[in-house]
Amino acid sequence: MKYVIAVIQPDRLDEVLERLTEAKIHLVTVSNALGRGRQKGISEVYRSHKETGSLLKKVKLEIGINDDYVQPALDAIVGGAQSGQIGDGKIFVVDLTECVRISSGETGDTAIG
Ligand SMILES: Nc1ncnc2c1ncn2[C@@H]1O[C@H](COP(=O)(O)OP(=O)(O)OP(=O)(O)O)[C@@H](O)[C@H]1O
Ligand SMILES: [Mg+2]
């Protein structure tokens, strides 16, 4: 199992969610986030005039996922969020050691999907 964390431009969220759904990836956590990348939050202000200090508004997606779905998830996120400009975002993939569905007590790859 992996935990996929993606930081994207807010205006790309709908397209990313649509592509994830097409890849049969439905379970996701979405949060509003503030962040800065290599440009330290400065140079992409022209793309988003919602600057807060040196931090820019982003959307964070988190997806706990079985290994077979990791590549489809990455393809969906890149496909939906890439404009080719700075500030498009970044995806992190980390090993996930456990998942528990609280309602049933199921664990592991039964609980995650
Ligand atoms: N190494 C990192 N650790 C944690 N968060 C990061 C990291 N890199 C990027 N982010 C998050 O992703 C957001 C978007 O990053 P961004 O796309 O600007 O990355 P970048 O490395 O600056 O690439 P680019 O040069 O294409 O802009 C940042 O605002 C920040 O929230
Ligand atoms: Mg950047």
Side-chain angles (χ1 to χ4, degrees):
M1 296 182 293
K2 304 283 189 211
Y3 203 65
V4 175
I5 303 153
V7 182
I8 64 169
Q9 292 282 0
D11 64 1
R12 293 301 177 129
L13 176 61
D14 289 347
E15 180 68 25
V16 168
L17 288 176
E18 211 166 286
R19 289 180 187 236
L20 286 168
T21 301
E22 282 167 12
K24 301 196 188 318
I25 298 163
H26 303 286
L27 311 187
V28 59
T29 300
V30 179
S31 319
N32 289 310
L34 294 173
R36 62 184 181 191
R38 279 193 302 195
Q39 292 75 24
K40 299 175 183 165
I42 299 163
S43 308
E44 38 167 316
V45 172
Y46 73 95
R47 289 188 68 180
S48 157
H49 296 276
K50 301 162 191 152
E51 199 186 13
T52 306
S54 62
L55 299 172
L56 297 169
K57 287 192 175 178
K58 302 288 176 177
V59 162
K60 181 171 68 170
L61 294 98
E62 298 170 66
I63 307 171
I65 202 164
N66 279 315
D67 291 349
D68 289 351
Y69 284 88
V70 171
Q71 194 57 51
L74 300 185
D75 293 343
I77 296 166
V78 172
Q82 185 180 64
S83 73
Q85 298 180 66
I86 58 169
D88 275 354
K90 210 169 271 186
I91 309 173
F92 306 93
V93 181
V94 299
D95 286 327
L96 180 61
T97 53
E98 187 56 293
C99 172
V100 180
R101 176 174 283 122
I102 295 173
S103 65
S104 62
E106 293 165 290
T107 60
D109 57 8
T110 312
I112 204 167

